[in-house]
Amino acid sequence: MRILVTGGAGYVGSVSVERLLEAGHAVVVLDDLSTGHRAAVPAGAHLVAASYGDEAATADLLERERIDAILHCAARSLVGESIADPARYYRDNVVGGIALLEAARRAGVGRFVFSSTAAVYGVPDATPITENTPLRPINPYGETKRTVEDAIRWYAAAYGLRSVSLRYFNVAGASERNGEVHEPETHLIPNVLRAAEGRTTLTIYGTDYPTPDGTCIRDYIHVADLADAHLLALEATAPDDPRTGAAGEPALALALNLGNGDGFSVLDVLRAAERVVGQPIPHRVGPRRAGDPPILVASNARARDVLGWAPRRDSLEEMIGSAWAWRRRHANGYER
Ligand code: UDP
């Protein structure tokens, strides 16, 4: 396959590009490098440093490169920023997302895999979260992802777009080559490791939640397991694949949770990180962070069933260990 990966210079995108190249596919990365890193794009992929939101230019690129399928990883993805500046999220995620879908339609690209998020569910009534859990996002980030998922579904029915939307839970870990570098960094595991490096003190956002140890529980999934799922999802969009539409029937838009299926508390993460780095990690307890639901854990049964996928690197030690090893090799992130 010839695959366009938007956001292929970002964290999830770059590890997915590695996986696609390994499987023998040709990869074109479309990334404006606003949050991505040129050095994250493997040598085997062709980087086009531009925005996916320019419909005409993207349609030309799809035609010129004879692209068969799109993996759309690019997006704005910070919950707090989305609340402070929703316009940016609607413009980049929704307006940009529709421009990309339109470019695909113009260029006749009928296969699409979309990076969605567990944030589409909001605060669920029950755990684990299945794909039938109502979608009630509580921030513009989740809302804009849901809006693009909705558009994709209608494109399936009307224009025959075959697609899989993948609702990521908490992505963690690193490949040999690529890891997580965000500025600002808001995520737990990078913040724990920064504290281990002596750069900051970790703040635990609340210990009074209705959970066994009082801290929030999340479902962490290794970025390499996510990359495996992307490859399988792209395969499921093949023109003759009944998973995205039987012959003679309208195309189908699939939505699948990608999580480990297991929950870990903030303290579980801290303790596992202390085992990985072999020393105590400085931390303090702070107040709750606004908008954090107590427990978010995926049911991954549908992804297992439909894609034949299973998370293979499912211990916190593997995820944190790979992130730690990567940070030790990249003391300044992607800067040389
Ligand atoms: N968290 C924390 N300290 C931090 C960052 C995160 O205690 O410096 C907590 C946060 O409140 C949440 C969990 O860790 O309960 C995971 O947060 P993260 O931002 O990594 O992912 P989210 O689940 O919000 O997408």
Side-chain angles (χ1 to χ4, degrees):
M1 254 186 284
R2 297 185 59 80
I3 302 166
L4 181 83
V5 181
T6 71
Y11 169 46
V12 168
S14 64
V15 178
S16 300
V17 170
E18 288 181 60
R19 185 71 192 88
L20 299 178
L21 290 172
E22 220 177 81
H25 299 296
V27 177
V28 176
V29 167
L30 178 59
D31 195 308
D32 66 3
L33 303 175
S34 59
T35 56
H37 308 272
R38 192 178 286 275
V41 179
H46 169 43
L47 170 66
V48 176
S51 166
Y52 61 87
D54 184 335
E55 184 187 320
T58 306
D60 284 350
L61 177 68
L62 293 170
E63 280 173 2
R64 197 169 62 242
E65 293 283 354
R66 293 173 288 109
I67 295 295
D68 301 302
I70 296 172
L71 173 59
H72 181 32
C73 292
R76 303 285 160 221
S77 61
L78 297 174
V79 168
E81 183 187 60
S82 79
I83 293 168
D85 190 7
R88 183 169 207 212
Y89 281 69
Y90 277 89
R91 194 173 54 236
D92 292 356
N93 294 1
V94 177
V95 178
I98 303 303
L100 178 63
L101 286 171
E102 282 299 279
R105 192 153 75 96
R106 269 166 69 164
V109 178
R111 305 173 64 173
F112 202 86
V113 172
F114 177 55
S115 292
S116 189
T117 169
V120 296
Y121 295 113
V123 185
D125 295 329
T127 190
I129 298 171
T130 71
E131 290 81 356
N132 296 326
T133 301
L135 304 186
R136 290 190 300 238
I138 56 166
N139 51 60
Y141 170 57
E143 189 80 76
T144 57
K145 287 286 181 176
R146 183 180 77 159
T147 302
V148 176
E149 276 198 28
D150 286 345
I152 289 171
R153 220 180 42 251
W154 292 110
Y155 271 60
Y159 311 129
L161 182 69
R162 290 172 177 266
S163 70
V164 185
S165 289
L166 297 169
R167 297 176 180 158
Y168 307 158
F169 281 65
N170 291 58
V171 188
S175 69
E176 286 284 312
R177 196 182 183 289
N178 286 311
E180 185 170 14
V181 183
H182 293 123
E183 197 49 57
E185 187 51 78
T186 62
H187 292 118
L188 177 62
I189 290 176
N191 280 348
V192 169
L193 297 181
R194 260 174 34 171
E197 290 160 353
R199 297 178 191 226
T200 47
T201 296
L202 174 75
T203 302
I204 296 174
Y205 298 141
T207 53
D208 58 349
Y209 283 94
T211 59
D213 67 20
T215 64
C216 287
I217 293 178
R218 293 289 180 274
D219 179 324
Y220 296 89
I221 173 167
H222 199 298
V223 66
D225 284 331
L226 212 63
D228 289 345
H230 286 151
L231 175 61
L232 294 167
L234 282 161
E235 288 169 358
T237 61
D240 56 354
D241 195 308
R243 292 173 293 179
T244 49
E249 299 285 321
L252 288 179
L254 293 176
L256 304 173
N257 289 342
L258 287 184
N260 202 350
D262 256 342
F264 299 102
S265 73
V266 174
L267 288 178
D268 289 337
V269 170
L270 177 64
R271 301 296 169 229
E274 289 181 332
R275 287 194 294 279
V276 166
V277 306
Q279 64 186 49
I281 296 176
H283 61 275
R284 65 180 193 89
V285 173
R288 291 184 178 195
R289 183 173 70 177
D292 276 342
I295 304 177
L296 292 175
V297 177
S299 161
N300 59 21
R302 192 188 279 182
R304 285 176 183 269
D305 192 38
V306 173
L307 298 181
W309 167 86
R312 289 189 292 134
R313 303 123 176 131
D314 58 356
S315 73
L316 278 180
E317 275 78 2
E318 275 170 289
M319 292 184 238
I320 298 171
S322 65
W324 180 241
W326 191 85
R327 292 177 76 93
R328 306 258 288 191
R329 291 195 301 272
H330 298 83
N332 296 314
Y334 283 103
E335 281 164 37
R336 285 168 202 281

